Amino acid sequence: MTLQGLNSSELLRAERSPSGSSKPKKGSSKERRKNRHCRLHSLTVKVQDLGLGFQSEEIVRFSYCAGSCESARTNYDLTLQNLVQIDLLMRNKHLSSNPCCRPVRYEVVSFMDVQNAWHTVDNLSAAECKCVG
């Protein structure tokens, strides 16, 4: 079917759908869950729900990093985990043998409060994510 034969709602749907999006995904769902990589996610929230003390009814986009960093593990991570497992290193809350998904670049967020004053908050919303550590 050509694009010319589509009505307006079908055309919009076709433009939103990437080519090949109807192909079934390979592998089990357990395998797909294990291989989720660190990536950027976002949601829209009220400024006052951010917990920074601003009284504002404005809604902003908040981006955050989430996902697995299993594929980014290095020899250091594997060795550290093994030394903890065989009790050559004590487990404590400051020891991490896994890289974690964190922002490496941020976006500035600006909004108006209930007093009609503008505020700009640096390093609030993630702009890029990577496995670090």
Side-chain angles (χ1 to χ4, degrees):
M1 180 184 281
T2 66
L3 290 180
Q4 295 161 340
L6 297 176
N7 67 35
S8 62
S9 83
E10 290 170 329
L11 181 58
L12 290 173
R13 196 173 329 134
E15 289 173 351
R16 286 192 310 261
S17 300
S19 63
S21 65
S22 61
K23 293 180 183 174
K25 296 187 179 187
K26 295 180 182 177
S28 69
S29 61
K30 184 177 180 181
E31 189 177 287
R32 283 193 306 268
R33 264 191 313 252
K34 181 181 175 191
N35 292 324
R36 285 188 188 146
H37 298 290
C38 176
R39 61 188 175 129
L40 192 63
H41 302 267
S42 63
L43 68 149
T44 53
V45 296
K46 284 186 179 180
V47 169
Q48 62 194 30
D49 292 338
L50 295 172
L52 299 174
F54 295 106
Q55 295 299 313
S56 174
E57 292 297 317
E58 283 206 41
I59 295 174
V60 295
R61 186 183 70 165
F62 176 75
S63 298
Y64 61 97
C65 300
S68 170
C69 289
E70 281 289 317
S71 63
R73 296 181 71 193
T74 64
N75 287 332
Y76 169 83
D77 301 313
L78 297 171
T79 301
L80 191 59
Q81 180 182 18
N82 185 62
L83 293 174
V84 168
Q85 285 177 345
I86 62 174
D87 290 329
L88 289 178
L89 282 175
M90 284 183 54
R91 298 172 200 253
N92 67 40
K93 60 183 175 184
H94 302 292
L95 185 62
S96 174
S97 62
N98 290 316
C100 61
C101 184
R102 298 283 299 164
V104 292
R105 194 168 52 84
Y106 295 90
E107 293 178 336
V108 172
V109 176
S110 296
F111 57 88
M112 189 177 289
D113 67 14
V114 294
Q115 307 296 323
N116 293 329
W118 280 99
H119 297 276
T120 299
V121 181
D122 294 323
N123 298 333
L124 175 63
S125 188
E128 180 182 1
C129 304
K130 287 201 176 164
C131 292
V132 295

